Amino acid sequence: MMAATVIPHSPVPVREPILELEGIEKSFPGVRALADARLSIAPGEVVALVGENGAGKSTIVKILTGIYQPDAGSLRIDDQPVHLESTQDAWKQGIAAIHQETVAFDELSVAENIFLGHHPRRDGPWWRGGGLVDWAAMRSRARELLAQLEADIDPDTPLKALSVAQKHIVEIAKALSHEARILIMDEPTASLSQREIHDLYRIVAGLKRAGTGILFISHKFDEIFDLCDRYVVMRDGHYVSEGWIADVDSDQLVSMMVGRTLTQVFPRVDTVPGEEVLRVERLGNPTEFDDVSFALRRGEILGFYGLVGAGRSEVMKALFGITRPTRGKVLINGREVQIANPEQAAANRLVYVPEDRQVAGAVLGMSIKDNLTLPSLARLFPNGILDDAKERALTREYGLRLVVKAASWDQLLSELSGGNQQKVVIGKWLATRPDIIILDEPTKGIDIGSKAAVHAFMSELVQQGLAVILVSSELPEVMGMSDRILVMHEGRVRAEFDRSTMSAEAIVTAASGSH
């Protein structure tokens, strides 16, 4: 990875800040999201905003982008007080954001997405075409912005034809089209490959040289230490600390974030695996994966590792009945099963927690309680009569076990942080009391404290005899939690390692196809 610029040790920013937040407070019904939050960003500086899910980071971003207005406190740009009543106000002040999930229009071209809402217009009276979109100017300017980012993307290309990484670059170009002086990057690398992450590092370095101030939000500490100059720590809506990245290590940051020392992020407890619960024999789909075979035992965590596009998630979706394999067999407890849909998978006590929790794993407009009990309704209420007390008891059991932070169990899932949403998605399937649970990137986009809680719960599950398949792109996670690891490359299993033989170098070599 690209090394961060060396930052001089100093108690104050080298330059006067572009942006300053002071004493910001924000409350919602039953929840105080921010209390005395503050931060500053100087030109050409990358500031890491760190904290657990629920620390207030997302609320700060929404205040900076005009989606929320603070209840108290001040926001200053160039030492002048400003009030941001809308996203358009934020754009006018030179503030733009790139989110983990890009908000764009796939059917429109790259140029149209970049200039959405502020298309270049022709000059002159209307009867000579004045006021109409100047398509030539828009394409030309889009080409200039993409060249500035060293991106080889045709402005006329439909957005749907681009990769996730290229869509992120288009979002950055969109921010530059607003002449953004302050760029907010919220988990920008969550869905990127290692090569694409390196390209993003290069772009960030270029933005720094151009004097853009960047607020960087990531749960990946290696990115924070590689890219950022300073840090600001939030906890439970409160400002905790700030300083130079060069003056701290990851343990110190974690301690500030969670208010305690996390001595064990991967609390794997050794267990003796029991009888075989799942066997997959030569499973294949001609367009996604082929000849995939493995076995899984009770009390075991089987890790699946591979680079983006290796076929890991596709195998899991086939096991859960989301897609249909064209060949191979699946045996559960020694009996061959035909799983045509997720309902049949759950009936066979096999469940799947998907990678994309917001689209495929949850109903954001429903409450925590309704999401947690949704897959269990037929078992809990066989006569179709809802028992509110029983439903709340089940919600309370798994909400507390997974330490879901919420004002109440009736709170909408959309109002929770990403980490707490993930806990609810995991909890709803655990509430069905499965024998086999597939966790696809279970800690993607969640903070280190929430990761430790999910990992501890995984260890608790295998101690109780559950069989776990862990799909993860994070090598420390898959090595720290798994009893065995299967490595996939281009749709095939290329290598298998147990705890006594696994090494980072060997796993990465196999994942790259060199094994």
Side-chain angles (χ1 to χ4, degrees), residues 70-96:
D71 300 329
S74 65
L75 169 59
R76 303 175 71 85
I77 295 179
D78 294 328
D79 204 29
Q80 298 297 315
V82 296
H83 299 280
L84 306 178
E85 299 293 333
S86 66
T87 303
Q88 286 75 16
D89 283 351
W91 287 346
K92 290 174 184 176
Q93 294 293 340
I95 302 173

Side-chain angles (χ1 to χ4, degrees), residues 311-355:
R312 301 162 302 157
S313 295
E314 288 74 14
V315 171
M316 304 310 151
K317 289 175 182 177
L319 290 176
F320 193 53
I322 296 173
T323 59
R324 297 293 299 273
T326 56
R327 57 170 293 191
K329 295 195 299 185
V330 176
L331 295 90
I332 295 179
N333 293 320
R335 179 177 58 87
E336 185 174 355
V337 296
Q338 301 292 331
I339 296 177
N341 53 56
E343 184 179 9
Q344 292 180 3
N348 282 284
R349 303 176 72 88
L350 183 153
V351 299
Y352 171 61
V353 178
E355 175 182 4

Side-chain angles (χ1 to χ4, degrees), residues 224-296:
I224 289 172
F225 283 94
D226 281 348
L227 286 175
C228 299
D229 305 311
R230 289 194 303 117
Y231 66 86
V232 174
V233 178
M234 297 288 297
R235 185 170 69 236
D236 297 328
H238 292 77
Y239 165 91
V240 174
S241 181
E242 65 182 294
W244 296 100
I245 285 291
D247 293 340
V248 295
D249 58 29
S250 58
D251 288 342
Q252 290 171 311
L253 269 187
V254 169
S255 181
M256 287 185 276
M257 285 169 53
V258 303
R260 63 191 187 279
T261 301
L262 281 181
T263 56
Q264 196 172 18
V265 177
F266 306 111
R268 183 71 179 94
V269 177
D270 289 331
T271 58
V272 178
E275 71 275 13
E276 183 178 289
V277 66
L278 172 69
R279 176 168 289 274
V280 175
E281 297 181 356
R282 307 201 70 180
L283 205 66
N285 181 315
T287 61
E288 296 176 332
F289 57 88
D290 191 36
D291 203 23
V292 174
S293 300
F294 63 89
L296 176 68

Side-chain angles (χ1 to χ4, degrees), residues 133-181:
V133 173
D134 190 335
W135 293 98
M138 185 171 69
R139 292 189 187 97
S140 176
R141 179 61 179 144
R143 193 171 286 109
E144 289 174 7
L145 292 170
L146 293 166
Q148 183 179 334
L149 299 173
E150 300 180 32
D152 185 19
I153 302 173
D154 186 338
D156 291 322
T157 303
L159 196 74
K160 64 184 178 183
L162 303 186
S163 68
V164 172
Q166 289 174 317
K167 288 180 180 179
H168 276 296
I169 292 173
V170 171
E171 288 291 302
I172 296 173
K174 182 192 296 185
L176 296 179
S177 76
H178 292 285
E179 299 181 352
R181 301 169 62 209

Side-chain angles (χ1 to χ4, degrees), residues 355-435:
E355 175 182 4
D356 192 341
R357 56 179 174 261
Q358 292 192 337
V359 174
V363 184
L364 296 180
M366 289 170 54
S367 69
I368 297 168
K369 171 174 66 67
D370 291 341
N371 271 278
L372 265 169
T373 59
L374 190 60
S376 306
L377 292 179
R379 175 175 57 84
L380 288 173
F381 316 113
N383 298 321
I385 300 173
L386 293 179
D387 184 330
D388 188 64
K390 188 181 292 186
E391 188 178 24
R392 288 187 179 279
L394 186 71
T395 302
R396 190 180 305 109
E397 177 186 353
Y398 285 91
L400 293 176
R401 286 178 70 185
L402 282 164
V403 199
V404 176
K405 295 180 181 179
S408 75
W409 303 128
D410 293 314
Q411 188 174 358
L412 293 181
L413 196 69
S414 60
E415 297 175 353
L416 301 188
S417 65
N420 283 299
Q421 289 178 4
Q422 182 73 319
K423 291 177 185 179
V424 172
V425 174
I426 293 173
K428 81 171 188 178
W429 287 115
L430 291 177
T432 66
R433 298 186 174 91
D435 290 331

